[in-house]
Every structure is written in C-alpha cells, then in structure tokens.
Amino acid sequence: PINGGEVKSGDGRFLISSEQGVFYNDIVVSIDKILNNSVIPKMPSDDRFTKASEIYSVRLANSTNAMDKDKTVKLIFEYYGPYLTAGIYKYANGTWIYMPSNVDDKSITTFISPKLLNNKTDIYAVFIDSKAITPYDIRGHWAKDEIITYVRRGIVDVDSNNNLSPNSYVSKAQLLTYINKVYNKNYTAIDMGLELLDIQKVNEPVTYKEVEAIMKKATNDKNFTWKSIADKIVKIKDRYTLSFNSMNNYITRAEAIYMLYFLTE
C-alpha cells in the first residue's frame, strides 16, 4: 500500500521494504526463488566468490509509474557470514555487479532507487568476495558507500597503501578513465574536449565548470548541470561542495564518484 510495508519471500530469507511516500499508488511486488541456477551464470571465479544466499527474481508492478525518486526501497537478505567481504549483487547485462551493502548480525541490506525496480524484473543474490578491498582512508566519509561500490566493481583503484585519497582532486586522465568504465565507452580526450598533450596536463585537476561540459557530452544531455549534482549532495549527504563558492574550483575524487553513481543508479 501507499503507506509502505514489506513483502517476504516464501522461505522468509529475503524481503523488500518500502516506507510511506515512496510510491504514490498501491503497487504489486512478486518475489520468486530461482531454483535452476544454470539459468543464471555463477560468479566467474570459484576461488574468489562464494554464494551465500538463494537467488531471487523481483518484479515490481506500478500501474502509474508515479514515485518519489529521491527515496529508496530496501532489500534485505538473512545473513550470518563475514562483514567486510560480503555483498548483495545484482545480475544485469550478463554479469553480477556489487550493490552498496551494509551487514549486521543477522542480515545484509542494500538501498536502491525505486525506479530501478519499476515495472521490470531484477535478480539479486549475496556473494562473499575473498579479495574484496575497502580503502583505509574512507572511514566515516560521506561518499563511503559509493566509493566502496566502485572499488569493488573495479572502476576506481586504490594505491599501494590501500588508500584512495577521496578528498584529493581528480585528474583529467582519472576522470576520463572513470567515465569510460562506468558507461562502457572508449571516449578519447578529444571526444571530451580535454587537452592531454603532455604529462603535466594529464595530471591537471578538473574544475566543476569543465566537469559540466564533459558530462554533457558523456551523457548526451545538453541540459546537464553540475548544480543538479551539488544540490543532491547537499540534500542526501548534507555536504556542500566548493562549487557553491566558484565553478572554477576543482572537483574531488569522491565528488566525481558520487556524480557518476548518482547519474547511473
């Protein structure tokens, strides 16, 4: 119903929870356990990934498509394994991708945008990744969940000391690499209007103004503005970016990661 609630799987080990106001009309949710695991490929490496739940398909039917896209739907699995290496994974485009996950004593949880479930079927399961990495220097950081997600997906890398330096400025080369991995593209510096003519320019930080121009090309959205991202960071994360002082200030790695995650998910 529109005042929220939860739907459990038949075995009681997986549930979907929605608070009031996420959907503007009553919705229908179905959960099915996938019994034939041959239909869904397993993780590519048995010596790295261990399946720690059943595999469930989820469908949400919303007749009006009306919802509050700034709110989230919660997916919860029963879980009793290790904390740092576990994760909820979504099966999409022929592969399993890590979702931002939080583990407690009895469960593992992820929060997703309702539009990702709206009138389509998604598939979820829990896996333990024995080689999962959590950067040392993001404890308590406002973009911790998004950073961990992109590290575990292989989109961003840590240094030899297992640090990410989230508040450091992102370089032109780094931003281009992030964009190509997130959008599965092969954009060149020329495509993005970047000048990477020598090693000095490769390592130059990127301003918010430059990011706005770059993302208009990357998203093919001429109406994209950095302000739309900065306002979301304030609203959702209670964090002000330096773009409010000047668009000629430089964007940080954490802000770039959050922007890309927000735009795609």
Side-chain angles (χ1 to χ4, degrees), residues 236-264:
I236 299 172
K237 298 290 188 175
D238 194 25
R239 174 84 179 187
Y240 284 87
T241 69
L242 291 178
S243 61
F244 287 100
N245 297 332
S246 172
M247 287 290 287
N248 290 320
N249 284 327
Y250 299 123
I251 187 173
T252 67
R253 291 177 186 172
E255 291 165 355
I257 290 169
Y258 182 83
M259 172 188 68
L260 292 169
Y261 185 86
F262 181 84
L263 288 174
T264 55

Side-chain angles (χ1 to χ4, degrees), residues 21-258:
V22 175
F23 299 99
Y24 304 153
N25 298 276
D26 293 347
I27 60 170
V28 178
V29 176
S30 63
I31 302 173
D32 294 290
K33 185 189 296 185
I34 297 179
L35 299 177
N36 183 2
N37 289 349
S38 64
V39 176
I40 304 297
K42 60 184 180 180
M43 281 293 192
S45 175
D46 287 335
D47 62 344
R48 174 172 178 172
F49 293 99
T50 302
K51 188 164 78 73
S53 77
E54 299 292 342
I55 299 174
Y56 299 92
S57 68
V58 180
R59 180 168 179 82
L60 187 154
N62 180 5
S63 61
T64 66
N65 288 318
M67 70 192 77
D68 187 339
K69 296 178 182 178
D70 287 334
K71 293 187 176 181
T72 57
V73 175
K74 181 162 59 173
L75 307 185
I76 307 171
F77 283 82
E78 182 181 14
Y79 178 76
Y80 303 98
Y83 279 51
L84 295 179
T85 55
I88 295 174
Y89 286 74
K90 174 183 175 181
Y91 186 73
N93 300 319
T95 188
W96 289 98
I97 60 171
Y98 172 85
M99 305 296 292
S101 305
N102 298 300
V103 182
D104 60 27
D105 292 337
K106 297 181 180 180
S107 64
I108 181 168
T109 303
T110 188
F111 294 87
I112 64 174
S113 168
K115 66 183 180 181
L116 293 183
L117 282 175
N118 195 49
N119 289 321
K120 67 188 189 71
T121 300
D122 277 335
I123 296 171
Y124 296 91
V126 176
F127 290 90
I128 298 170
D129 179 1
S130 63
K131 297 183 180 179
I133 296 173
T134 299
Y136 292 140
D137 58 351
I138 64 169
R139 180 178 297 178
H141 195 278
W142 63 269
K144 176 182 177 182
D145 288 343
E146 292 79 15
I147 290 170
I148 291 176
T149 298
Y150 272 17
V151 169
R152 290 186 64 161
R153 291 183 186 178
I155 294 171
V156 300
D157 297 319
V158 296
D159 63 22
S160 58
N161 295 317
N162 200 26
N163 290 319
L164 183 91
S165 301
N167 297 324
S168 297
Y169 300 134
V170 67
S171 71
K172 292 180 178 180
Q174 285 173 332
L175 181 60
L176 185 59
T177 298
Y178 294 173
I179 290 171
N180 280 334
K181 287 184 177 180
V182 168
Y183 289 101
N184 194 27
K185 299 290 185 178
N186 291 303
Y187 292 128
T188 66
I190 294 175
D191 293 332
M192 294 294 99
L194 295 173
E195 295 183 26
L196 305 183
L197 302 179
D198 55 49
I199 190 64
Q200 183 176 359
K201 288 189 178 296
V202 165
N203 293 318
E204 281 183 351
V206 186
T207 67
Y208 296 108
K209 185 176 181 179
E210 289 173 323
V211 166
E212 188 171 277
I214 291 167
M215 293 310 298
K216 285 181 178 180
K217 295 180 180 179
T219 62
N220 197 29
D221 180 5
K222 295 181 180 179
N223 295 318
F224 172 83
T225 64
W226 167 257
K227 186 178 185 302
S228 66
I229 302 299
D231 288 344
K232 291 297 182 183
I233 293 176
V234 174
K235 181 177 180 180
I236 299 172
K237 298 290 188 175
D238 194 25
R239 174 84 179 187
Y240 284 87
T241 69
L242 291 178
S243 61
F244 287 100
N245 297 332
S246 172
M247 287 290 287
N248 290 320
N249 284 327
Y250 299 123
I251 187 173
T252 67
R253 291 177 186 172
E255 291 165 355
I257 290 169
Y258 182 83

